[in-house]
Amino acid sequence: MTDVRRRRPGTGLPPFQHLLDLYCADVLRFLTRRVGPLAADDCFQETWLAALRAYPSLRDAENLRGWLLTIARNKATDAERAAARRPLVVETLPETAGPERELDDGELMGAVAGLPGKQRRAVELRFVEDRDYPGIAAAMSTSEAAARRNVHEGIKKLRRHRP
Amino acid sequence: MTVSSSRMRDAVARFSESAADQGLADVTYTTMDSPIGPLLLAATDRGVVRIHFEEEEWVLDELARRVSPRVLRSPRRLDPARRQLDEYFAGRRRSFSIPLDRRLIGQFGERVLARTERIPFGSVAAYNDVAWDIGAPRAARAVGNALGANPIPVVIPCHRVLRTGGSLGGYGGGLDRKRYLLQLEGALPTAG
C-alpha cells in the first residue's frame, strides 16, 4: 500500500469548497438516477458529509471526482438496502438473503483483501480510486497489459466469491 | 436526468449548514461588499483568520494549505465580523471587538502587528517609529514587509503606518484603498 501513497495526508488538497462547486451537480445527478429524487437528497447530504469528514486524511489529490462518486455509490447502496429492509422492521421477521443477493461493503472488502497482493492492489486502483489502466500500470510499475491482467484475474476471483 | 439549479442550491446550502453545525468546516468564508470593493472574510473556530480584498482563488488555496483543506463557504461564523465592518465603513465604529485567529502571522509579524493595533483610529505612525518601538530600529523595511503580509487588514490597521514625512508608503490592497481608509478615519484630508 505504500507504493503511490507517500505524501503526507492532507497536503496539496484543494479547498473543499472547490470540490463542492465542481462536482455537486455530478453527485446529485448520479444519486437521482440511482435512488430517485426523494432519497437522492438525503444521500447527497450523507455523501458530502462523509467526504468532508475523510478529506484531510486523503493522501492523493488525483481523481477527486472518482473518490466522491465512490462514496455516493456506497451511500446509494446503503439507502437501497435500508429501503428494502423497512417493511421487515415492522413485522420483526428475520431477514433472509435471496439467492441473487449482492455482496455488501464489508463482505466485498473482505473478499478483495483475500486476493493475492498484485490483484488486490490493481482492483483497488481500478474500482476504489477509479484509475484507468495506464494509471494503474504507472502506480504499480508494471506494463499496461499486466495491469489489465491483474484487474481481470482479480475480478474473476471475486465473481467466484459471490454468495 | 437533469437536476434543477434551485434544488441543487438547496441541497448545497443544507450541506454547508450541517457541516458547520457538526464542526466539520475548519475554515469558513464569505464575501461582503464594501466601499473599497468586495472583501473575503475567513474564520476558524478561534476567530477571523483572514481578510482579503477580492475573492481570489489563491487565498483559498493558501488557507487550504496552511490551515486546513476543509474550507467551506458559509456566512454564519462571520456575521459579527461582517456587522462590525459594515459599521466601520458607515463611520459608526472606531475599533473592532472580534476574536482573531493569528496563526497566519509569523513571529516578527506578530511584534509589528501588535504594535500597529495600538495606533488609535484617526492616528498614524511612521514605519521607522514602529521599527523603533519593537526594538528593531534598523528594520523599517522588514516592518513594511510584515505590514504588507498582514493576513487580517482593516481589522488589524496596517493602513495606519506611513512613511516618515507623511507619504503613504505601500499597501497590500493598493494605495487607493489605503487612502480611502485613512480619509474615512479622518487621518488624511479628503480630496476635492
Side-chain angles (χ1 to χ4, degrees), chain A residues 10 12-18 20-21 24-26 28-29 32-33 36-38 40-42 44-45 48-49 52-56, chain B residues 1-4 7-8 10-16 18-19 22 24-26 29 57 60-61 64-65 68-74:
Chain A
L13 294 171
F16 194 79
Q17 182 66 42
H18 204 67
L20 191 60
D21 292 340
C24 63
D26 288 352
L28 192 55
R29 212 175 294 124
T32 304
R33 211 161 43 218
L38 274 180
D41 281 351
D42 283 338
F44 180 90
Q45 301 301 322
W48 285 100
L49 285 171
L52 182 58
R53 224 170 267 130
Y55 193 51
Chain B
M1 175 153 328
T2 56
V3 165
S4 79
R7 189 177 148 220
M8 174 67 66
D10 290 350
V12 168
R14 207 173 120 207
F15 159 67
S16 302
S18 349
Q22 297 183 28
L24 293 172
D26 298 331
Y29 72 94
E57 200 55 50
L60 299 176
D61 285 342
R65 205 174 54 246
S68 161
R70 297 205 287 207
V71 179
L72 269 187
R73 196 184 298 125
S74 161

Side-chain angles (χ1 to χ4, degrees), chain A residues 3-82:
Chain A
D3 44 6
V4 288
R5 306 192 155 201
R6 254 176 249 115
R7 252 188 315 155
R8 199 154 59 81
T11 54
L13 294 171
F16 194 79
Q17 182 66 42
H18 204 67
L19 271 64
L20 191 60
D21 292 340
L22 280 174
Y23 303 127
C24 63
D26 288 352
V27 169
L28 192 55
R29 212 175 294 124
F30 168 80
L31 288 169
T32 304
R33 211 161 43 218
R34 265 291 297 266
V35 298
L38 274 180
D41 281 351
D42 283 338
C43 285
F44 180 90
Q45 301 301 322
E46 284 171 29
T47 298
W48 285 100
L49 285 171
L52 182 58
R53 224 170 267 130
Y55 193 51
S57 54
L58 207 59
R59 287 161 202 263
D60 199 340
E62 276 167 49
N63 196 11
L64 292 168
R65 182 175 177 277
W67 175 67
L68 285 164
L69 289 176
T70 303
I71 299 174
R73 198 173 301 136
N74 292 338
K75 295 297 175 191
T77 306
D78 290 349
E80 284 164 348
R81 203 171 298 138

Side-chain angles (χ1 to χ4, degrees), chain A residues 126-152:
Chain A
R126 182 75 188 91
F127 297 102
V128 180
E129 300 186 18
D130 211 17
R131 304 272 184 112
D132 55 13
Y133 289 107
I136 298 168
M140 296 182 60
S141 313
T142 62
S143 67
E144 213 181 300
R148 278 177 200 282
R149 205 160 46 240
N150 282 326
V151 172
H152 179 76

